Amino acid sequence: MIEISDNVLDRLVDAKKVAVLTGAGISAESGIATFRGKDGIWTKLKPDELASMEAFLRNPARVLEWYEHRRTIIEQVQPNPAHIILAEMEKFYPDFSLSTQNIDGLHKKAGSTIVYELHGSILRNRCNECGRLIENIKLDELPRCDCGGLVRPDVVWFGEMLPIDILDMSYAAAQEADVYFSIGTSAAVYPAAYLPIEAKNNGAFVIEINLDTTTISNYVDVSYRGKAGEILPELWNAVKNKINAIN
Ligand code: BJW
Ligand code: ZN
């Protein structure tokens, strides 16, 4: 149980524009490993050995095999209550958008339709040379595009640019939001980590939901400690109860 102040409830009841940033923690309860922290992927593997262009060019087969392994897991898991509540919130608010750093597609699977995938999607592949999207290829066979380029997952590695249109829409949403949520992200990777700060600097009421404190915990308006799949349903129920009480 979390303590929800009247101020938080009022902000959520009155808000017209709500925007959200999610990270790996929101998918942890669906069974997908996070990157940092106790059981994070990067405690066992080094990012520069797998999630970088250098790694890919050095040993494409190894990198592609790792992504194929993760894709197999991701295709089998289901959205959890946190993903589902965010899809419900999208239907409730007149202006709602969801920016995610996750590449797992679980927000769309849960029913969210306005999803800005800042770091791409593991469910798509593209040519590393010409950028063409390439469907239905198993990545562990070292496939090539018609242009001769290697095929890679359509994700954003360190040192690579984020898709600019998606980043622009995420920034616009953060700047305009009445309430901004930062959920299940360590807020350690930029430029995504600037989004909650941008929202706060532009007047949004910022709510963080995370198991632990993060780099932005001291900066946000409210920071709830715990599992997103438990806190978000609790918070949203309280909002719905308040709305029903008013009407
Ligand atoms: C729960 C929970 C539960 C667990 N409930 N919570 C400015 C300053 C400094 C550095 C830079 C900067 N600008 C750019 C950089 C460089 C770099 C960067 O940020 N480095 C930092 C490490 C310092 N950024 C980039 O390179 C980006 N590109 C870029 O900026 O291009 C322009 C440029 C080019 C060249 C030079 C300079 C600039 C690209 C970043 C790409 C990130 N890619 C990855 C891999 C994607 C593909 C894949 O999955 O394989 O994206 S890295 C990895 O980290 C992944 C994630 O999306 C990302 C963020 O991680 P996230 O989601 O926050 O997960 P965790 O694990 O860190 O945290 C989970 C949280 O959940 C924890 O807090 C838990 O407590 C919590 N939790 N269970 C609630 N049940
Ligand atoms: Zn190509």
Side-chain angles (χ1 to χ4, degrees):
M1 286 287 281
I2 48 166
E3 200 175 305
I4 306 170
S5 72
D6 282 340
N7 184 26
V8 170
L9 282 182
D10 289 343
R11 297 273 184 173
L12 283 165
V13 168
D14 295 341
K16 299 282 175 283
K17 298 184 178 188
V18 174
V20 183
L21 172 69
T22 65
I26 198 166
S27 295
E29 291 158 75
S30 292
I32 303 176
T34 60
F35 294 92
R36 297 162 193 85
K38 193 167 58 69
D39 300 316
I41 296 178
W42 300 150
T43 58
K44 301 171 201 93
L45 302 164
K46 290 203 182 88
D48 52 357
E49 282 172 12
L50 286 162
S52 71
M53 183 60 80
E54 292 72 31
F56 181 63
L57 296 178
R58 204 182 314 125
N59 193 344
R62 179 165 184 255
V63 172
L64 296 184
E65 197 183 327
W66 183 60
Y67 276 96
E68 201 54 38
H69 166 72
R70 289 172 63 202
R71 190 195 319 244
T72 308
I73 296 170
I74 283 168
E75 278 171 350
Q76 287 166 10
V77 303
Q78 297 305 323
N80 66 56
H83 298 103
I84 289 164
I85 295 293
L86 290 176
E88 205 180 302
M89 287 170 74
E90 181 191 289
K91 293 199 187 86
F92 178 81
Y93 287 109
D95 188 330
F96 184 92
S97 70
L98 173 47
S99 299
T100 186
Q101 298 165 87
N102 300 345
I103 59 168
D104 57 32
L106 285 180
H107 286 301
K108 288 181 183 167
K109 207 170 182 177
S112 287
T113 61
I114 304 169
V115 183
Y116 303 143
E117 293 178 323
L118 291 160
H119 294 163
S121 170
I122 199 172
L123 306 175
R124 295 188 301 264
N125 302 316
R126 70 176 149 91
C127 172
N128 193 42
E129 299 297 329
C130 72
R132 192 164 71 91
L133 285 180
I134 299 167
E135 311 268 353
N136 299 326
I137 279 188
K138 265 190 97 62
L139 283 180
D140 48 6
E141 292 157 5
L142 215 55
R144 284 186 186 271
C145 170
D146 292 344
C147 81
L150 281 168
V151 177
R152 56 167 283 182
D154 189 18
V155 301
V156 181
W157 288 325
F158 280 115
E160 294 186 320
M161 294 294 289
L162 278 66
I164 193 69
D165 50 339
I166 287 173
L167 188 60
D168 283 351
M169 289 189 286
S170 295
Y171 264 88
Q175 285 158 358
E176 289 164 15
D178 303 321
V179 175
Y180 197 87
F181 282 92
S182 177
I183 307 176
T185 175
S186 58
V189 174
Y190 297 88
Y194 285 132
L195 287 167
I197 308 293
E198 185 74 6
K200 176 79 185 152
N201 288 346
N202 283 277
F205 186 79
V206 182
I207 302 174
E208 177 181 63
I209 301 177
N210 199 299
L211 271 185
D212 290 320
T213 51
T214 73
T215 53
I216 61 165
S217 296
N218 284 335
Y219 200 68
V220 301
D221 293 286
V222 181
S223 196
Y224 293 117
R225 288 285 142 269
K227 292 184 174 178
E230 294 172 3
I231 291 180
L232 204 51
E234 205 180 319
L235 189 57
W236 191 235
N237 261 334
V239 173
K240 284 191 298 188
N241 286 341
K242 177 125 190 178
I243 290 165
N244 288 338
I246 296 167
N247 293 331

